[in-house]
Structures are given as structure tokens and as C-alpha cells.
């Protein structure tokens, strides 16, 4: 029995086994494996494939390699150590839904991975020819919003990458209105492991950074205590808070907390892309929120008013609080605005944007109050 | 077939930007023809992305990562230092048109923060000393 390691090099064996099965069988296997999307939303992968396979039209597969969530770098590790696994995942998905055209949407910031990916594609060519699959790489040009699964469709079609209304979901009506499966890098890299019998749905990659001596990608088993992981990563200073990326919220550090989606959700946060940023006692939560909010002002695509304008007004409030020039009334206004933006925005970016401030206000309110007049 | 051509647009724009350092009207028209799309739509797409520019920015580009993990590892100190050294603000080009200093969304190097993207290549664990060396090498 091979060890159940996430970064195990499948060396085309997983795809080989999958291609010897019928598409329906492949979908069944993936469904039963318990694999869920690792990009954020956590939609069951097999189900997504099934919906696409049943929808009429030409089919497309898109590998979303536009991971731009701040603090997330596990895709970088996958692309540099086991790029072939990702290609295998694409091949298996294409076989399952009957796609003849697939795209890898690589973020511009990862441009330097192109030679590695091209080499992996070359290695997988015989398998691709077997199912008559054509695989192209589209290189992004610097836009965080392209990580959104409908924005990526507009981007590949050559339009401005603004998100589309959902439903219809891409699996029914995606690229050029045809059924399209959009899976992220980590999800696709797991697929060949399923067919090798070494996939464990409870294990996932987590990008750990911030105030630690040894940041990096950790393979964690669901339910592991956060304190145990930090023992390996060696904190700098006294850990005070955990920030789950820009759109995952902020909560107090608790060494005994077991890492599960539910535990994190209970505290108002969101573990979607497996990002953990450790914040120590030297940093002010207000200033952390300011830096996150700056990021959102930069990345809002500008399509809808609540996110485009809301992001800027939110930043103004935080800056004022941070500078000690705000009143309690301002703080209440900020909270009101956050609640508004989180329901009125068009896509997930805008709706999750206020989460860091709302969770910070829930857990670290006194830091804000102390700065208000 | 036409659909496949459209998917090439972003790659074509990226290549032209790299070759010319900007996207001229002529270039955009040429690309529009190649991918069978109206010129105005190509223009509208091109102006969305932060790596694509209509005017020549500079010979070199230094991009700072704007993510909170970088912030915790004092990336603001690095950005202030760069601003002082180059005598520009974020989002501006130096007077001699040599270096553009900008911001980009997370470059996925938070484990090696602070990090920069210099002409598309990553520079990690940046210190003020490293910046001095870097600026000297960017001739
Ligand atoms: S919520 Fe923000 S990112 Fe999403 S469509 Fe609206 S402006 Fe664009």
C-alpha cells in the first residue's frame, strides 16, 4: 500500500486506469470518493462532472490555475512538484464528460511555470490523443477576479472578466454557452490519486504563513489541532489571531481548536481555500483590516456599485479609525455598510469582502473601540 | 473555430505587451483581426488587466504583493524604501522611464515574504540590502 500522500507523483498511472473505464464509471468513482472542490466553495466534484456530462452541447474543461487568494500558495507547490497530476486530472475529467477541448487558465503571476507545464503536457500527449483532447494554456494578465468561475469564462472568451449571473451554472451553460467544468488545480491534482486508491478526502493542503519562522504548505488531516501545526511552523512572538486569507475572516488564536470546516464556521469564518495566516501580538487588528481592505479596493472589478464604491468607503472608515480620528458613530456606520455590501454585491468577491471586518468586530471589537473617540 | 480564436486573445495581448512594452492602437487592430473580434471589444478587454498597458510604462517593472501575509512580514517597510529610493509613489514610473513601481494581487509567495515580482520573475525574502543590489542590477 502506497502512503496516502497528497503530493504523490502518479506518473500517468492514475489516468491510465481511469481511461480503461467508461465515462459513467469514472463519474461514479469520483462521486464515491468524496472529493470536493478545493478552490473555496467545496462543491462535490463528481456531481459537477455528472451535471456537465448530462447537459447538451460541446463540452469544455477549465483548470483554474488563477489562485489569487492572499496567503494561498499551495497551487504553486503542486504546479512545481506534480504538474503531471494536474494534467492527468484534466484528462480524466475530459474523458468523464466527453470534452475535446480543455484550457489551463494560468495566472500571469505564475508565468514562470509555463515551461514546466508544457513539459508535463508533452509527457501526457499519448493519453490525450487517445481521447482526442486538445489542451491550451491561457495566461492571465493580472486580475484577481479571474479566479471566480464565471469571470474566468468571460476572460477566456476574450471579454472583460466580469462575473456572470448564476444560475445557470457553468456546468450547464459555461464557455460559449456550452457545459463547462471549472475545477481548480488542487482538485484536479487529487483525481488521479482516487484511481490509484490513495486519496483521502479528510486530508488537504493548507498554506500557512504570517508570523511564523517556518511558513509553508502543510498536509493536514481534518480535526488536527491548530496548536500542533504551529509547533511545526514555530510561531514568532505570541500568536493572537488567525486570518483565513482576505475573504475568510479573522478569529482569535486558540491552540486547542481542531481544524474542521464546522469549527471555523462557528466562529464566523471560512476555510474555503485552506489558508491560515498567523497574526501575533505585535500587530493591530485594525491595521490588518486596513491592509486587507486595500487589497479589495485594488481588486474589485468595478461591475457593481455596492462593491466598487463600498470597498472604498469601507477603507476610508478603517483609515479614520486607525488614525484615531473616528467616532463611535463612524464605527457603527462601518458595520452597517459591511452588512449592506455583503448582501448587495453581485459576486462572491463583493459578498465576502466585509467578512474580515465583521469577524474582527465580533472577536476584537475592543481594539476598534479603543481607537474611537 | 472562431471560438477557439477568441481564446487566443489574452495570450496575443500578453505577447504583444511583452514584445513592445505596450499595446498600440495599430497592434490592437492587428490582434482584433487575428482573433475575429471587433476592435472596440479588444480595446475594452485590454484595458481591464493590470499587466497590459496602452502607454509604455518603463523598461523594468517592480511589482509588490499586496496581501496581508506580506503586510505582517513588514512589506510596507519595503514599499516605503522602494518609494524613497526610486523617488516615486506606488503606481508611478521613475522620471527616466526606467522603472515602474506597482502593486499586484497576491503572487503566492507569502511563505517567502516579503516578495517582489521583477520583470515577471520572483524575488523573495527581500531586505533593504537586496533592494539596493536589485536596483543596481536593473540598468
Ligand atoms: S461584487 Fe465586486 S468583484 Fe463582484 S461583480 Fe461586483 S464589483 Fe465585481
Amino acid at each position: 500500500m502506497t502512503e496516502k500522500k497528497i503530493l504523490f507523483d502518479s506518473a500517468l498511472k492514475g489516468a491510465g486506469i481511469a481511461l480503461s473505464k467508461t465515462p459513467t464509471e469514472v463519474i461514479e468513482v469520483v462521486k464515491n470518493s468524496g472529493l470536493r472542490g478545493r478552490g473555496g466553495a467545496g462543491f462535490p466534484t463528481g456531481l459537477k462532472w455528472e451535471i456537465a456530462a448530462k447537459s447538451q452541447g460541446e463540452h469544455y474543461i477549465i483548470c483554474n490555475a488563477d489562485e489569487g487568494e492572499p496567503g494561498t500558495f499551495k497551487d504553486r507547490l503542486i504546479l512545481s512538484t506534480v504538474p503531471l497530476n494536474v494534467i492527468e486530472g484534466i484528462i480524466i475529467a475530459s474523458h468523464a464528460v466527453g470534452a475535446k477541448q480543455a484550457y489551463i487558465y494560468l495566472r500571469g503571476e505564475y508565468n514562470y511555470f509555463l515551461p514546466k507545464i508544457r513539459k508535463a503536457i508533452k509527457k501526457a500527449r499519448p493519453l490525450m490523443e487517445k481521447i482526442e483532447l486538445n489542451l491550451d494554456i491561457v495566461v492571465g494578465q493580472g486580475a484577481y477576479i479571474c479566479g471566480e468561475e464565471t469571470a474566468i469564462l468571460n476572460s477566456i472568451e476574450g471579454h472583460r472578466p466580469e462575473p456572470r449571473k448564476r444560475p445557470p451554472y457553468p456546468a450547464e451553460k459555461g464557455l460559449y454557452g456550452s457545459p463547462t467544468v471549472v475545477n481548480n488545480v488542487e482538485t484536479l491534482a487529487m483525481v488521479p490519486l482516487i484511481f490509484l486508491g490513495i486519496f483521502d478526502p479528510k486530508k488537504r493542503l493548507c498554506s500557512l504563513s504570517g508570523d511564523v519562522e517556518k511558513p509553508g504548505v502543510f498536509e493536514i488531516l481534518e480535526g488536527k489541532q491548530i496548536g500542533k501545526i504551529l509547533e511545526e511552523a514555530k510561531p514568532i512572538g505570541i500568536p493572537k489571531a488567525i486570518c483565513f486569507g482576505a475573504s475568510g475572516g479573522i478569529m482569535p488564536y486558540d491552540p486547542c481548536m481542531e481544524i474542521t470546516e464546522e469549527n471555523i464556521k462557528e466562529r464566523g469564518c471560512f476555510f474555503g481555500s485552506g489558508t491560515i495566516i498567523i497574526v501575533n501580538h505585535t500587530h493591530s487588528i485594525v491595521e490588518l483590516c486596513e491592509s486587507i481592505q486595500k487589497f479589495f479596493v485594488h481588486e474589485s472589478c468595478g461591475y457593481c456599485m455596492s462593491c466598487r464604491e463600498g470597498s472604498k468607503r469601507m477603507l476610508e472608515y478603517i483609515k479614520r479609525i486607525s488614525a484615531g480620528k473616528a467616532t463611535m458613530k463612524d464605527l457603527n456606520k462601518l458595520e452597517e455598510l459591511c452588512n449592506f455590501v455583503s448582501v448587495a454585491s453581485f459576486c462572491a468577491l463583493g459578498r465576502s469582502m466585509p467578512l474580515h471586518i465583521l469577524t474582527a468586530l465580533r472577536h476584537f471589537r475592543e481594539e476598534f473601540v479603543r481607537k474611537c473617540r | 473555430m472562431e471560438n477557439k480564436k477568441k481564446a487566443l486573445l489574452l495570450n496575443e495581448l500578453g505577447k504583444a505587451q511583452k514584445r513592445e512594452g505596450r499595446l498600440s492602437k495599430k497592434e490592437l487592430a492587428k490582434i482584433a483581426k487575428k482573433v475575429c473580434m471587433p476592435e472596440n471589444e479588444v480595446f475594452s478587454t485590454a484595458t481591464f488587466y493590470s499587466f497590459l498597458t496602452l502607454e509604455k510604462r518603463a523598461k523594468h517593472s517592480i511589482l509588490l504583493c499586496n496581501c496581508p501575509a506580506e503586510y505582517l512580514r513588514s512589506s510596507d517597510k519595503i514599499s516605503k524604501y522602494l518609494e524613497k529610493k526610486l523617488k516615486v509613489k506606488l503606481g508611478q514610473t521613475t522620471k527616466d522611464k526606467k522603472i515602474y513601481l506597482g502593486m499586484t494581487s497576491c503572487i503566492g509567495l507569502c511563505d517567502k515574504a516579503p516578495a517582489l515580482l521583477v520583470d515577471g520573475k520572483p524575488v523573495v525574502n527581500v531586505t533593504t540590502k537586496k533592494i539596493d543590489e536589485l536596483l543596481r542590477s536593473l540598468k
Side-chain angles (χ1 to χ4, degrees), chain A residues 145 163 299-304 307-308 345-347 349-351:
Chain A
I145 187 65
E299 299 306 340
S300 166
C301 85
Y303 178 69
C304 63
C307 166
R308 182 185 64 235
S345 297
F346 184 69
C347 83
L349 186 149
R351 282 198 293 266

Side-chain angles (χ1 to χ4, degrees), chain A residues 93-157:
Chain A
S94 304
H95 176 55
V97 307
K100 301 287 169 227
Q101 175 68 47
Y103 294 100
I104 297 178
Y105 191 94
L106 184 72
R107 55 192 310 234
E109 290 85 348
Y110 283 175
N111 210 336
Y112 54 95
F113 276 126
L114 270 178
K116 250 196 176 141
I117 297 174
R118 289 217 179 95
K119 220 169 124 193
I121 294 178
K122 214 169 153 196
K123 262 197 201 151
R125 181 111 321 137
L127 285 180
M128 280 161 54
E129 276 165 11
K130 212 168 144 191
I131 58 166
E132 292 167 36
L133 174 68
N134 187 36
L135 176 57
D136 289 317
I137 306 173
V138 176
V139 181
Q141 295 297 330
Y144 169 75
I145 187 65
C146 290
E148 206 274 343
E149 67 168 2
T150 56
I152 211 171
L153 302 175
N154 278 340
S155 182
I156 294 179
E157 286 183 23

